[in-house]
Amino acid sequence: MTRVAKGLAASVALLLCSAHGWVQAEERAALKSMAVGGSLMSWAWLAWQGAPIDSALCANQGPSGLRFEAAKDRELRAASLGWRLGECVAWRAPSSALSLQLAPRLQLGGWQAERGAAEPRRLLDAAFIPALRWDLGSPAAGLRLDLELGIGAGLISHSRIGARQKSTNFQFFDVMGLGLRSADARWRLSLDYRHVSNADIRKPNQAVDFIGLSVEVPMP
């Protein structure tokens, strides 16, 4: 793995690990900034390199896949099922293993507030996330490390859940995940962060910051 990739992976791992215990507001803001800033810079890099920004334009299309995630916020729990719409390498460094892949996905999920919370205690979400994955190389034989970043958009079935007032059904989904996968791409495990808010389109805009784990497998 290159020196740059090692530094990037170490920084993200440190910030994600700091989320243990459902981090304080300042730390959540740092994770959100990394997810949004990293995604924007990754798209800008592809544009600067003249690389494809649509997976349909990529050569060597990878398989689609199924993804399950379980996550938690301070008062909320969530589970989601995602469908990765293929995967492809949009850019590769000429002198290292570093590459940038397009891995867009659709996802459906449900949230549940803790017991005793005000109604509604449950809601559903649906989102499209045009995720990007930086392949950071191989930390061990048969394994590969990657960093996923994405800014997506979607809908939630209620604009409020428990004590959390979201004000709009339309929401942005900012994601970041540190993943470990098999070299043959038969599975991928990831430590994930997801920020859900309406970007202050309407207030109050009480954001949700989920930290969770996901597993992904290719579809036959």
Side-chain angles (χ1 to χ4, degrees):
M1 202 168 23
T2 67
R3 185 179 302 176
V4 173
K6 288 180 179 179
L8 185 59
S11 299
V12 174
L14 180 61
L15 278 171
L16 284 173
C17 287
S18 74
H20 181 69
W22 322 120
V23 293
Q24 299 301 313
E26 294 81 3
E27 293 168 311
R28 291 197 301 273
L31 290 174
K32 176 193 171 185
S33 296
M34 287 191 68
V36 174
S39 183
L40 292 176
M41 287 189 291
S42 298
W43 284 111
W45 177 256
L46 286 182
W48 178 262
Q49 296 295 317
I53 57 174
D54 184 335
S55 59
L57 302 177
C58 288
N60 302 319
Q61 281 277 358
S64 57
L66 290 176
R67 180 179 186 275
F68 175 77
E69 178 185 307
K72 192 177 187 303
D73 179 71
R74 293 190 309 274
E75 307 96 11
L76 305 173
R77 292 177 294 161
S80 65
L81 182 64
W83 177 34
R84 191 187 70 226
L85 307 174
E87 185 178 65
C88 65
V89 176
W91 174 84
R92 187 184 300 278
S95 59
S96 72
L98 188 67
S99 66
L100 184 53
Q101 303 169 354
L102 303 176
R105 71 173 183 265
L106 296 168
Q107 71 177 42
L108 297 172
W111 306 4
Q112 180 170 320
E114 61 189 3
R115 289 185 178 179
E119 293 291 339
R121 289 182 53 227
R122 297 177 178 85
L123 66 73
L124 301 176
D125 71 47
F128 171 66
I129 301 172
L132 296 169
R133 285 182 185 169
W134 286 96
D135 187 329
L136 303 177
S138 180
L143 297 174
R144 298 195 70 82
L145 189 67
D146 66 60
L147 171 64
E148 182 175 87
L149 299 158
I151 300 174
L155 298 171
I156 54 177
S157 59
H158 298 86
S159 60
R160 179 175 61 84
I161 179 169
R164 204 73 63 90
Q165 179 60 257
K166 306 290 292 166
S167 294
T168 62
N169 296 95
F170 174 81
Q171 300 284 307
F172 291 101
F173 290 67
D174 308 320
V175 301
M176 178 170 62
L178 191 63
L180 190 66
R181 68 184 189 277
S182 62
D184 60 4
R186 298 303 299 171
W187 55 265
R188 178 180 181 270
L189 299 175
S190 181
L191 174 62
D192 299 310
Y193 166 75
R194 178 171 28 136
H195 175 86
V196 184
S197 76
N198 69 14
D200 289 343
I201 293 172
R202 184 180 299 169
K203 294 184 178 181
N205 173 34
Q206 296 177 323
V208 175
D209 293 274
F210 287 119
I211 303 291
L213 294 171
S214 66
V215 60
E216 188 176 290
V217 295
M219 293 179 65

